[in-house]
Amino acid sequence: WTHINGKDVYEDTKNILVTPPIVSIQPQQKQIVRLGALTPPDPKKGETYRLIIREVPSPTLEPTIGIQTLLEVRIPVVIAPLNPSKPQILWTANRVEEKKLNVKWENAGESYTSFRNIALFSKDQEKPLAEHAYQAFLLPKQKQEFVFDLPSSLKEENIKIVAQTDAGEISEIVPIVSQ
């Protein structure tokens, strides 16, 4: 699983073993699926995959009325690097309206970063101006953005961005650019 030109790209792999590869799960039942890496991960980057689980339509002999809906789930599978590096996130903040701030972030590092929350703080304040409960993986060179609604117009030239990640807290003062 990679990210190229703003799009997720999936390729088949022989590096991961899934067992059992095919299961039949009855209603209200559970199934454990085990995954194993068949090759060692890149020591600096680790490896990222997506486990794709698809519901297969059950064969019916009788015609049905309506639409049959099938489920597909794509679960991130991450093999952490043996020698993880500190996340390298590039931040920008652009004022789009008086009470709106567009924050963009890019993973400039070699490994993925998993985000759980992003908060904006004004200078010397303990309570955030705005928060975004953001749970996602940011692959190398991948970018994301979000427009934060602020409670009041922001007069400052900088904003403090605090992000909770799998590698701990990231905190950075970022200049605000007016458009």
Side-chain angles (χ1 to χ4, degrees):
W1 163 41
T2 56
H3 197 79
I4 300 172
N5 296 326
K7 304 266 187 211
D8 284 335
V9 177
Y10 304 105
E11 295 178 16
D12 289 342
T13 184
K14 301 279 187 202
N15 295 343
I16 298 289
L17 175 68
V18 179
T19 183
I22 298 174
V23 297
S24 178
I25 304 172
Q26 298 303 316
Q28 308 302 317
Q29 297 299 306
K30 298 177 183 178
Q31 174 68 48
I32 293 175
V33 176
R34 291 180 173 83
L35 301 156
L38 298 176
T39 58
D42 182 301
K44 289 186 178 181
K45 298 179 184 180
E47 300 291 339
T48 54
Y49 302 93
R50 287 279 186 157
L51 174 64
I52 301 172
I53 300 172
R54 288 189 185 109
E55 184 178 8
V56 178
S58 57
T60 62
L61 300 176
E62 300 177 21
T64 59
I65 298 174
I67 299 173
Q68 184 176 15
T69 304
L70 301 176
L71 179 67
E72 179 177 283
V73 179
R74 294 171 185 245
I75 302 169
V77 175
V78 176
I79 301 173
L82 300 173
N83 305 315
S85 59
K86 184 178 176 186
Q88 297 176 26
I89 307 301
L90 303 177
W91 300 93
T92 59
N94 296 297
R95 190 182 322 269
V96 290
E97 290 179 22
E98 185 177 337
K99 294 183 180 181
K100 291 188 183 289
L101 196 64
N102 184 22
V103 176
K104 297 179 184 180
W105 53 100
E106 177 183 355
N107 183 352
E110 294 183 353
S111 182
Y112 77 94
T113 300
S114 176
F115 286 83
R116 288 185 286 286
N117 189 56
I118 297 174
L120 305 181
F121 294 83
S122 65
K123 187 172 80 175
D124 302 327
Q125 292 218 325
E126 292 184 25
K127 185 178 177 188
L129 292 170
E131 286 188 88
H132 177 42
Y134 174 78
Q135 294 199 356
F137 289 96
L138 200 60
L139 299 175
K141 310 303 179 234
Q142 189 176 7
K143 301 175 185 178
Q144 291 288 322
E145 67 180 286
F146 185 76
V147 176
F148 288 85
D149 292 316
L150 303 175
S152 61
S153 61
L154 194 62
K155 306 289 187 225
E156 294 157 17
E157 295 179 7
N158 297 307
I159 192 84
K160 180 180 177 183
I161 301 174
V162 178
Q164 302 301 323
T165 74
D166 58 331
E169 185 175 281
I170 297 173
S171 179
E172 191 165 337
I173 305 293
V174 177
I176 298 173
V177 178
S178 294
Q179 292 186 343

